[in-house]
Amino acid sequence: MARRLINRHPGRMGIAYLGLLPFVILIFLYATGSALRLADNPGDKLLPGFPAIAEAIVRVAFTPDRRTGEIVLWADTAASLARLGMGLAVATALGLVVGIANGIIPYVRAGLSPLVAVVSMVPPMAVLPILFIVFGLGELSKVVLIVIGIAPFLMRDLQARAEEMPREQLIKAQTLGASSWQIVLRVVLPQMLPRLIDSVRLSLGPAWLFLISAEAIAAEGGLGYRIFLVRRYLAMDVILPYVVWITLLAIASDLLLRAVNRRLFPWLEAGRGM
Amino acid sequence: MTQVTVRDVWKEYDGNVVIERVNLDVAAHSFVSIVGPSGCGKSTFLRMLLSQEIPTRGEIRVDGAPLPPEPTEERGVVFQRYSVFPHLTAAENVAFGLEVAASPLLGRLFGNRRRAVLEQCRAALDAVGLGAACDKYPAQLSGGMQQRLAIAQALIKKPKVLLLDEPFGALDPGIRVDIHKLMLKLFDETGMTVFMVTHDLREAFHLGTRLIAFDRYKTRPEEIGVYGATITFDLPLDRASAREKGEALDELQDKVAVQPA
């Protein structure tokens, strides 16, 4: 008898093919569109052909710049990743400390939780002008934007996770003689770290958004700066590879964090599949 | 040897009386089984013994001293679930209580001292039949093994009073029999006083030296909240004759119809 649609599953290869199919279609559509436009006007810049894109990649990724001697793509990548890394590190540290304190210590929660709730509602891009005025147009304002953008989310998420911990564990730790500090250090913190890393993974998207926005508005280098700079020349042959590169970096950082979680916290996986 | 006295204890939530007029004198080295229908406040009573909750009125004393207002080392506990730390191995779970006592700042020992403590914990795990599971995480243990671990973890601190909140309620009958034997052995060896809340009357009779039942004595809908539950039945199992036990079982079976946890 024919099964219902919801009960039919593709095989291993089927999953691979079906997953690849949309990408293939997109590339095919682009190639067709590009070929049509180029046939019409060989000077078209909107949908450059693959040879033109390859040429641009060689230029930005493998050829030193004539004026600075730097390879543009790597210099941009280094600048952007430094900002992103710093912003994420500060936001993560703040999220961890404030989140756990809010989740576990009622007096801290009473004092800080409303502030965090309000701050998390402020649209970060709206305070970017203030950051530029206060911290100048240098690195600091971009890092602070990332921090303001994602730290409140991390704090609230971690607070919720800490509050979700079974009461029994905190009681049990007390009957074993642990102080508040020891409970935080040995019971709460180790169980919050993997959740924190998961939350940071979810924050990567917004973090990139804030980074590229800040770079687009005021910077002297960086991936976001570059694509907004070459936009003036309709340089799609540079913008498209940059977008792909940023996407790859985002995927890589996500995979990296996932691997860290599995590596550092074996007890999470333990017992699965039993 | 630890005596527990409960004097006129009441517990109210938002003006609703849950427990009222509880008086109890528990002799040293007693095993008190607490039974009663669901929602009759027996777990609330246990949480008050633990200082997880504070009586609205009345007083509980352990060896003559009033209970401190928060959980302490003198009262160990095993819950039905979540009694052990999922991120620590079995041996580390048992070591926790010793490590926090020895290292106030980090709550953790290193090097030789850590090895010595873990060795001690291995012995403790051996005693509850978990010798082979020292390095496993709780999620890798069966329900019965997790409860054995929770017991070993609590006993390493040598508590005066051990509180058990339906500790074996989620276990299969066969596994329960084994863990009952273990519990009785540990009770004889340690000299502590045990309070155990259970839904299982046979378990209550089998393990306890004394059986108390909580129940409401006023059950009309408009009376709930105004009147709470209290101790309606108190039988010294260690001194009762077989006939008394049989009658008690019959009587309780009507009231405390065995209900799923």
Side-chain angles (χ1 to χ4, degrees):
Chain A
M1 206 177 85
R3 278 178 288 183
R4 289 180 183 82
L5 190 56
I6 56 166
N7 291 327
R8 288 200 234 159
H9 297 277
R12 206 175 241 274
M13 292 307 281
I15 290 175
Y17 284 131
L18 284 175
L20 274 176
L21 189 63
F23 293 98
V24 173
I25 292 176
L26 277 178
I27 290 171
F28 175 76
L29 284 178
Y30 179 89
T32 318
S34 165
L36 287 175
R37 286 187 72 104
L38 286 171
D40 223 24
N41 168 19
D44 179 68
K45 301 188 84 169
L46 209 57
L47 298 182
F50 291 119
I53 290 178
E55 205 176 294
I57 291 176
V58 170
R59 198 170 68 241
V60 296
F62 301 105
T63 322
D65 189 75
R66 262 170 303 168
R67 267 184 305 125
T68 60
E70 285 175 333
I71 296 177
V72 178
L73 179 71
W74 301 119
D76 286 343
T77 305
S80 285
L81 286 184
R83 290 165 189 151
L84 191 74
M86 206 148 23
L88 280 174
V90 173
T92 305
L94 279 174
L96 186 67
V97 172
V98 176
I100 288 184
N102 269 355
I104 296 296
I105 304 169
Y107 266 93
V108 176
R109 173 161 59 232
L112 274 187
S113 193
L115 176 70
V116 173
V118 170
V119 169
S120 71
M121 290 300 156
V122 177
M125 291 308 292
V127 296
L128 184 56
I130 303 175
L131 301 183
F132 281 148
I133 292 167
V134 175
F135 298 113
L137 296 177
E139 296 303 299
L140 189 57
S141 54
K142 298 175 192 66
V143 172
V144 172
L145 178 70
I146 295 174
V147 172
I148 289 182
I150 65 175
F153 162 76
L154 291 176
M155 291 173 189
R156 296 183 80 189
D157 192 57
L158 221 61
Q159 173 181 346
R161 304 267 170 247
E163 284 171 353
E164 265 169 24
M165 276 189 59
R167 255 339 281 164
E168 286 91 338
Q169 281 191 31
L170 301 185
I171 301 282
K172 180 87 184 196
Q174 294 178 59
T175 66
L176 297 174
S179 65
S180 299
W181 166 247
Q182 288 172 327
I183 290 173
V184 166
L185 201 63
R186 292 231 39 211
V187 179
V188 183
L189 183 67
Q191 294 189 66
M192 287 304 118
L193 282 177
R195 318 251 161 114
L196 176 73
I197 291 180
D198 269 338
S199 308
V200 172
R201 277 177 61 201
L202 288 179
S203 304
L204 283 176
W208 277 102
L209 168 71
F210 297 129
L211 172 71
I212 291 179
S213 307
E215 286 180 345
I217 294 170
E220 286 157 4
L223 297 165
Y225 161 79
R226 191 69 51 198
I227 47 182
F228 274 83
L229 180 72
V230 300
R231 176 192 63 102
R232 295 180 205 164
Y233 318 113
L234 282 181
M236 287 291 270
D237 54 346
V238 175
I239 295 177
L240 289 175
Y242 259 71
V243 171
V244 171
W245 176 238
I246 292 171
T247 309
L248 288 177
L249 287 175
I251 293 173
S253 41
D254 185 65
L255 290 177
L256 179 75
L257 287 178
R258 214 154 69 177
V260 166
N261 241 0
R262 265 200 302 250
R263 189 71 185 268
L264 291 186
F265 310 110
W267 54 272
L268 277 180
E269 298 279 325
R272 270 193 210 152
M274 256 184 77
Chain B
M1 291 294 173
T2 301
Q3 292 169 338
V4 177
T5 51
V6 179
R7 282 287 164 271
D8 198 29
V9 160
W10 292 60
K11 182 67 189 176
E12 297 174 17
Y13 292 108
D14 306 325
N16 287 325
V17 181
V18 179
I19 289 181
E20 62 173 72
R21 295 181 294 120
V22 174
N23 285 288
L24 196 63
D25 285 283
V26 175
H29 195 46
S30 300
F31 195 124
V32 184
S33 296
I34 306 171
V35 297
S38 290
C40 68
K42 53 191 191 302
S43 287
T44 304
F45 179 63
L46 199 79
R47 284 200 292 273
M48 288 195 289
L49 289 173
L50 185 57
S51 299
Q52 188 180 350
E53 296 190 27
I54 308 296
T56 314
R57 272 182 267 170
E59 194 181 40
I60 303 175
R61 287 173 178 265
V62 171
D63 283 343
L67 281 188
E70 61 179 5
T72 49
E73 297 169 75
E74 61 182 3
R75 288 158 295 155
V77 68
V78 174
F79 296 104
Q80 184 172 12
R81 295 176 65 201
Y82 305 124
S83 279
V84 292
F85 304 120
H87 60 292
L88 301 178
T89 63
E92 287 168 345
N93 259 293
V94 180
F96 182 91
L98 302 174
E99 284 191 295
V100 294
S103 165
L105 192 60
L106 292 176
R108 186 191 292 268
L109 296 175
F110 301 94
N112 284 334
R113 292 176 73 196
R114 177 181 156 86
R115 266 193 293 281
V117 162
L118 284 179
E119 211 44 55
Q120 188 184 344
C121 296
R122 268 167 217 283
L125 284 169
D126 261 332
V128 298
L130 284 182
C134 282
D135 298 318
K136 292 205 162 138
Y137 289 104
Q140 294 167 311
L141 304 177
S142 68
M145 290 161 88
Q146 286 187 26
Q147 292 309 77
R148 284 165 187 264
L149 173 57
I151 293 169
Q153 184 188 34
L155 291 188
I156 200 92
K157 297 294 280 189
K158 302 190 169 52
K160 293 181 183 176
V161 180
L162 183 63
L163 304 166
L164 308 172
D165 194 355
E166 300 189 27
F168 316 126
L171 305 183
D172 294 333
I175 292 174
R176 245 190 249 203
V177 172
D178 292 341
I179 210 164
H180 284 165
K181 273 186 207 146
L182 171 69
M183 201 61 237
L184 284 176
K185 186 181 87 141
L186 294 172
F187 175 64
D188 287 339
E189 284 171 4
T190 52
M192 62 190 171
T193 296
V194 181
F195 289 83
M196 177 182 70
V197 166
T198 179
H199 269 99
D200 182 347
L201 271 181
R202 277 196 302 179
E203 176 175 277
F205 275 86
H206 178 50
L207 294 182
T209 60
R210 183 171 177 182
L211 178 85
I212 59 176
F214 276 78
D215 206 353
R216 295 175 180 281
Y217 61 100
K218 301 225 181 209
T219 50
R220 295 219 306 272
E222 68 271 21
E223 290 169 340
I224 288 175
V226 183
Y227 299 94
T230 191
I231 294 178
T232 56
F233 194 93
D234 188 345
L235 181 72
L237 292 169
D238 48 353
R239 279 179 279 134
S241 66
R243 192 171 56 87
E244 281 176 302
K245 284 191 195 173
E247 284 169 5
L249 188 59
D250 286 343
E251 186 185 337
L252 283 170
Q253 236 156 8
D254 291 337
K255 290 184 189 154
V256 193
V258 180
Q259 291 167 36

